[in-house]
Amino acid sequence: MLDADFFRRWMTATAASVEREADRLTALDSPIGDADHGSNLRRGFAAVTATLEKEAPDTPGGVLTVSGRQLISTVGGASGPLYGTLLRRTGKALGDAAEVSEAEFATAFRTGVEAVMTLGGAAPGDKTMIDALLPAVDALGDGFGAARTAAEQGALATTPLQARKGRASYLGERSIGHQDPGATSAALLVAALTEAHGD
Amino acid sequence: MTDTNLVGIVLVSHSAAVAASVAELARGLTGGGTTVRVASAGGAEDGGLGTSAELIAEAAASVDRGAGVAILTDLGSAVLTVKALLAEGDELPDGARLVDAPFVEGAVAAVVTASTGADLAAVEAAAAEAYTYRKV
């Protein structure tokens, strides 16, 4: 079973890996975006960890909804409302249970990913975070390690795609050949699940 | 006419200068004596390019007189942040609505329409109609 502590560790591990990889995310965002993905997410997840230290919600759903709210208010770019919605909707789907099973988390996370698809209007293959998140959700039934691998492969597979969403879409064919920064950060979020789980 | 029965307008852009200028343009084209509340929420909180949920919420609260608030946005994160705030349920005033309209033309149409005392649906329709005006 996964408790509130697990979800706090997930957020902390994500913040640490975003901090580590911020420069790489921004470098990926330079040729096809506006070169702020790393710094925006770093600011957002730093606010998440600071808030969790102060508030420490005692349910999985509480941890995720508070975290999502922080991302919406602090990131400043499109990744804020997108990641914020992902965490909030996942948290709301978990309700106020003190502990949730991995299967319940997988179902709730799918609800969150679907909410992101609705908000941003992105489908698989549009070269967005969805290309990492959806394969991860599909693999979650086989454990966090499988989800991590699926997300990383999904992020790598965005390289040959042409962007159809966001600023990168204005570049048309020139977006081809660059790995999508949003899919890359989404893979970091999924990978942090294995760290929180101690895999 | 008092301003208590007028729809409020919020203009959200990635740029503080763009949001403030469009607000000024819309007010200017409405004519003298208008009491429509128009607030701009441009750029990030540090003044750089971006979208600030806090500035949007403050702007919406500042123009809310109970008759509804029409929110117009430019691109990307401005659209997504407003949608996410509306989905939260308690971040924006009751009757706040994201209006699907071109930013500059829609803002002028919204402010002019609101200044006549029109309700939120009419303001929204006028702003959205700006999409149908072809320039060529």
Side-chain angles (χ1 to χ4, degrees):
Chain A
M1 295 295 281
L2 310 170
D3 59 9
D5 251 350
F6 169 85
F7 288 93
R8 277 197 289 272
R9 290 198 302 276
W10 182 26
M11 293 298 103
T12 310
T14 302
S17 101
V18 163
E19 179 72 40
R20 252 187 339 262
E21 302 283 340
D23 290 346
R24 184 169 75 99
L25 293 174
T26 289
L28 289 172
D29 196 33
S30 298
I32 59 172
D34 39 11
D36 58 5
H37 192 54
S39 49
N40 280 351
L41 275 192
R42 176 160 54 188
R43 181 170 61 245
F45 276 98
V48 166
T49 50
T51 299
L52 290 179
E53 277 172 26
K54 277 188 307 206
E55 293 193 28
D58 55 3
T59 62
V63 171
L64 295 185
T65 51
V66 162
S67 301
R69 178 71 193 81
Q70 281 301 310
L71 293 176
I72 291 169
S73 65
T74 58
V75 168
S79 53
L82 292 168
Y83 277 110
T85 294
L86 173 65
L87 296 183
R88 279 177 52 84
R89 289 301 177 87
T90 303
K92 284 192 169 177
L94 291 175
D96 52 9
E99 292 186 324
V100 300
S101 68
E102 291 184 26
E104 286 167 336
F105 168 66
T107 303
F109 197 52
R110 184 179 296 279
T111 304
V113 172
E114 285 168 355
V116 173
M117 292 170 71
T118 303
L119 177 65
D126 283 348
K127 199 179 180 96
T128 72
M129 59 198 282
I130 295 302
D131 292 317
L133 291 175
L134 214 49
V137 165
D138 290 337
L140 260 180
D142 297 323
F144 294 140
R148 173 186 189 144
T149 305
E152 286 166 355
Q153 287 173 348
L156 288 172
T158 60
T159 303
L161 299 176
Q162 178 172 333
R164 287 194 287 260
K165 285 287 160 188
R167 183 193 175 288
S169 65
Y170 300 139
L171 299 177
E173 289 183 4
R174 280 176 293 153
S175 67
I176 294 172
H178 301 281
Q179 185 173 324
D180 181 62
T184 307
S185 58
L188 296 179
L189 177 78
V190 174
L193 282 168
T194 61
E195 287 184 55
H197 200 239
D199 292 353
Chain B
M1 188 185 304
T2 65
D3 73 350
T4 53
N5 50 6
L6 299 183
V7 172
I9 311 290
V10 173
L11 303 176
V12 184
S13 169
H14 280 62
S15 152
V18 169
S21 296
V22 173
E24 185 188 346
L25 171 67
R27 280 192 209 102
L29 293 181
T30 305
T34 178
T35 51
V36 178
R37 304 238 166 194
V38 185
S40 58
E45 277 181 283
D46 64 4
L49 297 180
T51 306
S52 161
E54 258 67 42
L55 292 180
I56 295 168
E58 283 170 21
S62 76
V63 301
D64 179 31
R65 291 296 176 274
V69 176
I71 305 174
L72 286 88
T73 66
D74 61 359
L75 313 159
S77 64
V79 180
L80 296 175
T81 302
V82 172
K83 282 186 176 178
L85 288 175
L86 288 170
E88 299 226 11
D90 55 358
E91 292 287 326
L92 298 175
D94 289 341
R97 197 177 294 179
L98 173 61
V99 171
D100 186 15
F103 193 59
V104 177
E105 294 87 339
V108 172
V111 174
V112 171
T113 306
S115 72
T116 68
D119 65 12
L120 182 57
V123 170
E124 181 174 29
E129 202 182 298
Y131 270 133
T132 64
Y133 171 68
R134 311 310 308 182
K135 292 168 191 173
V136 179

